[in-house]
Amino acid sequence: MRSFRRHRTLVAVLLCAAAVLAARPTVAESGGDGGVSPAFVPADAGVSAQVARLFEEAAVATQQYEAGRRAADRQRTQVRRMEQLLGRERRQLAAFNADLGRIARAHYREGGGMPYTAQMLLADDPDELMRGQRAGRQADLALDKAVTRSRRAEARFAVGEARAATAWRRLEKRNFELGEIKQDIQRKLEQAQWTLQGQADASVAAGSCRGAVRLEQPVQGRTRPWVAPVESYELSAGFGSGGERWSSRHTGQDFAVPIGTPVGAVGAGRVVKVSCGGAFGIEVVLRHPDGYYTQYAHLAAVTVDQGERVAPGQWIGQSGTTGNSTGPHLHFEVRVTPEVGSGVDPVPWLMKHGVPL
């Protein structure tokens, strides 16, 4: 498990205290398959829905920012390529001009300053002189054409370089704006996350679960019967590991995720337990058709009711850090009974079901 420093504002503390004072524990009701759950009070999906929406907005903003950064990198590369082409053209033009100077000097040394008629009279072989003159004129024409082409190319590349540089500066400005939008979303998300966690802590302290919050479920395009409980995560404490926070050994697999991360059912099943007390804090237990049970613990909110049937990947809650937890994460267990102590290692179990972690 990870340790996260909690930043609790005075408002959040007052809200939690008010919720604890106002909530009245009720008589526990028996759940399916032996699960016992405290009675629920109606839940307000406002903060939960806000967290889920902000997660989506943050993901979109991140995608846009990364796309813009890649586009800016491509434009920067284009500018550098233009600069290289311009440098090459300038070097070629300088070489042409040097060749032109050498030809002119050689032409002068060979009688270029003498009238052409005088050169003909003094030449040992007038025909050879004429051929040389024609060759010289052709060389001059070729050189002039090459210089003209080079200058046109230089002008063309200069225009291209200016346009690429302008596009790059425009993209850099847009990326700066996207970065500010992204940071603003992250600030709002963090505030909403801790408000959600404060409500969850108040429910656990009062012993009265808030009840299911109904979030808009993602579009179900999955065809696999088994999936991971969260989409983006880092594995932390594993099954069987030791630690001072457990009486013997760790009974599940921890997924380090931020508060409010949507938690999905790993497979089709039925909700047999929703509870908000004890070491696991707010938890959900599902029974699957093959007889195994899966537990999702330390949640900040639940989105299903006891007895409800769920599909693979359906959101059943939002992660948090309720109960015996040192920081935001999902504690996930696979059991042969609904009760603690009957767990098996979730990692090979999921891999056997086609879900490598």
Side-chain angles (χ1 to χ4, degrees), residues 16 45 51 54 102 117-118 126 167 190 193 206 209 215 217 226 240 252 255 260 279 282 295 327 351 354 357:
C16 296
V51 171
L54 286 170
R102 283 194 297 271
T117 303
E190 184 176 358
Q193 285 173 317
C209 293
L215 301 179
Q217 292 286 333
W226 300 94
F255 295 79
I282 299 176
Q295 180 212 31
M351 186 173 294
L357 299 179

Side-chain angles (χ1 to χ4, degrees), residues 158-329:
V159 171
E161 181 186 34
R163 290 176 178 172
T166 300
W168 172 60
R169 286 192 294 270
R170 190 181 300 117
L171 284 168
E172 286 287 284
K173 180 181 178 182
R174 176 58 177 161
N175 285 348
F176 178 77
E177 294 171 352
L178 286 173
E180 289 189 326
I181 293 173
K182 180 182 175 184
Q183 289 179 2
D184 183 58
I185 293 173
Q186 291 290 353
R187 284 192 293 269
K188 292 178 181 178
L189 176 58
E190 184 176 358
Q191 292 173 358
Q193 285 173 317
W194 286 112
T195 301
L196 177 63
Q197 184 62 44
Q199 292 178 349
D201 290 339
S203 297
V204 172
S208 297
C209 293
R210 294 176 58 234
V213 294
R214 296 302 176 179
L215 301 179
E216 182 178 353
Q217 292 286 333
V219 177
Q220 293 296 325
R222 296 187 177 94
T223 57
R224 292 184 299 164
W226 300 94
V227 296
V230 286
E231 291 188 356
S232 180
Y233 56 86
E234 289 184 15
L235 297 178
S236 48
F239 180 80
S241 57
E244 60 182 13
R245 297 194 64 83
W246 308 300
S247 57
S248 54
R249 291 288 178 178
H250 193 229
T251 54
Q253 174 62 57
D254 287 348
F255 295 79
V257 289
I259 293 171
T261 299
V263 175
V266 296
R270 184 168 64 89
V271 181
V272 297
K273 181 179 181 181
V274 178
S275 176
C276 64
F280 290 119
I282 299 176
E283 63 171 322
V284 173
V285 178
L286 306 180
R287 186 182 190 279
H288 300 284
D290 60 0
Y292 281 95
Y293 297 79
T294 54
Q295 180 212 31
Y296 312 77
H298 303 311
L299 302 176
V302 294
T303 61
V304 290
D305 288 315
Q306 195 161 293
E308 187 175 335
R309 293 196 175 277
V310 296
Q314 179 180 333
W315 290 353
I316 60 173
Q318 291 173 287
S319 65
T321 181
T322 54
N324 187 14
S325 169
T326 58
H329 71 285

